[in-house]
């Protein structure tokens, strides 16, 4: 699982094989699928598992709120660094900020996915699938940004792969922590973070203006993402 998660960082290389117009048509439906998968994973898998693990519905919901707020703070901090005004200093290129933010995000996801595997293998698999569904469109977008910023393809691929290794580090840290501490709280914490990313970062991308057919495709992809995670929950039970 860790190797596959790191390899997902190379999915951006697919953009080299696609025409720009084709990629543009595929990107938003993929984002919609990822949004539905993340929200479905949080609601149908992580939150119920968190309630069961902590044996307290209130405490589980508190950790969901903590995860939501933590990712809000993280995004606020990163947005403070990502200055787009004309008078911004030149030593903060967007390419490096993309990699820094992606590395932090990958480490956090590795932490929560590793914690899920420690608690229950089935929960770990479903949590990883949700994370992978989210990572594919994100990596496509990140790789496109790096190329647009003027980076060489080989350099963009290498550094994107290195940022993916942060996922492995997060998983190792979660396992090491589980030997000394109770890591059950990581499951509702992950639910909160996935709800934030899905609802705050991905869903707003879907409300862009477009033709009725394009809007229906995005909505369908979102519902399919929810449905897949619901079906996976039923299957695992």
């Amino acid at each position: 699982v860790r190797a596959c998660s790191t390899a997902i960082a190379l999915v951006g290389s697919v953009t080299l094989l696609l025409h720009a117009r084709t990629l543009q048509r595929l990107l938003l439906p993929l984002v919609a699928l990822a949004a539905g998968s993340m929200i479905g994973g949080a609601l149908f898998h992580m939150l119920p598992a968190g309630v069961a693990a902590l044996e307290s519905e209130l405490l589980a919901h508190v950790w969901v709120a903590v995860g939501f707020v933590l990712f809000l703070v993280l995004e606020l901090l990163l947005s403070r660094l990502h200055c787009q005004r004309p008078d911004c200093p030149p030593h903060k290129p967007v390419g490096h900020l993309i990699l820094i933010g992606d590395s932090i995000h990958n480490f956090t996801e590795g932490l929560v996915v590793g914690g899920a595997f420690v608690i229950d293998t089935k929960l770990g698999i479903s949590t990883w699938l949700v994370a992978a569904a989210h990572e594919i469109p994100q990596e496509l977008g990140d790789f496109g940004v790096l190329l647009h910023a003027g980076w060489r393809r080989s350099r963009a691929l290498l550094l994107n792969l290195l940022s993916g290794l942060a996922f492995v580090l997060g998983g190792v840290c979660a396992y090491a922590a589980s030997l000394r501490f109770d890591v059950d709280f990581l499951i509702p914490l992950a639910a909160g973070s996935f709800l934030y990313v899905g609802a705050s970062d991905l869903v707003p991308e879907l409300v862009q203006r477009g033709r009725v057919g394009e809007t229906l495709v995005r909505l369908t992809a979102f519902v399919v993402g929810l449905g897949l995670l619901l079906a996976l929950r039923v299957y695992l039970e």
Side-chain angles (χ1 to χ4, degrees), residues 42-70 184-193 195:
L43 294 178
F44 304 140
H45 294 260
M46 299 177 209
L47 184 55
V51 171
L54 296 176
E55 299 182 350
S56 169
E57 186 173 352
L58 177 60
L59 184 58
H61 283 86
V62 168
W63 279 113
V64 170
V66 170
F68 196 97
V69 172
L70 281 178
D184 289 350
F185 71 94
L186 287 175
I187 302 305
L189 186 76
S193 66
L195 283 174

Side-chain angles (χ1 to χ4, degrees), residues 26-40:
L26 291 176
L27 197 55
L28 283 181
L30 284 173
V31 170
L33 181 66
S37 299
M38 293 200 79
I39 294 174

Side-chain angles (χ1 to χ4, degrees), residues 60-232:
H61 283 86
V62 168
W63 279 113
V64 170
V66 170
F68 196 97
V69 172
L70 281 178
F71 265 63
L72 171 61
V73 171
L74 175 61
E75 187 160 32
L76 287 173
L77 291 174
L78 291 176
S79 65
R80 294 277 295 181
L81 293 174
H82 188 186
C83 178
Q84 296 179 336
R85 300 191 312 271
D87 58 340
C88 285
H91 60 277
K92 294 181 178 179
V94 64
H96 290 89
L97 291 175
I98 285 287
L99 289 173
I100 292 172
D102 205 24
S103 297
I104 296 173
H105 181 75
N106 287 335
F107 175 81
T108 306
E109 283 194 345
L111 195 65
V112 297
V113 172
F117 270 102
V118 168
I119 295 169
D120 182 74
T121 302
K122 292 180 180 179
L123 178 63
I125 292 173
S126 61
T127 304
W128 176 78
L129 287 173
V130 173
H134 157 60
E135 282 297 315
I136 290 174
Q138 176 183 310
E139 293 298 340
L140 284 171
D142 287 354
F143 192 75
V145 171
L146 294 178
L147 293 181
H148 183 69
W151 290 38
R152 294 193 309 273
R153 295 177 181 181
S154 57
R155 185 187 182 201
L157 278 174
L158 175 61
L159 293 181
N160 228 26
L161 177 61
L162 291 177
S163 73
L165 293 176
F167 182 95
V168 179
L169 179 60
V172 171
C173 289
Y175 176 75
S178 69
L179 299 178
R180 290 176 171 266
F181 309 104
D182 185 356
V183 295
D184 289 350
F185 71 94
L186 287 175
I187 302 305
L189 186 76
S193 66
F194 279 28
L195 283 174
Y196 178 83
V197 174
S200 178
D201 289 341
L202 301 185
V203 167
E205 295 292 325
L206 309 182
V207 297
Q208 297 180 17
R209 289 185 179 180
R211 290 177 294 183
V212 175
E214 294 173 338
T215 302
L216 289 177
V217 168
R218 297 173 203 166
L219 178 60
T220 300
F222 179 82
V223 174
V224 167
L226 284 173
L228 285 175
L229 269 297
L230 177 59
L232 182 61

Side-chain angles (χ1 to χ4, degrees), residues 3-12 128 131-133 135-136 139 160:
C4 291
S5 300
T6 304
I8 288 175
L10 297 176
V11 76
W128 176 78
E135 282 297 315
I136 290 174
E139 293 298 340
N160 228 26

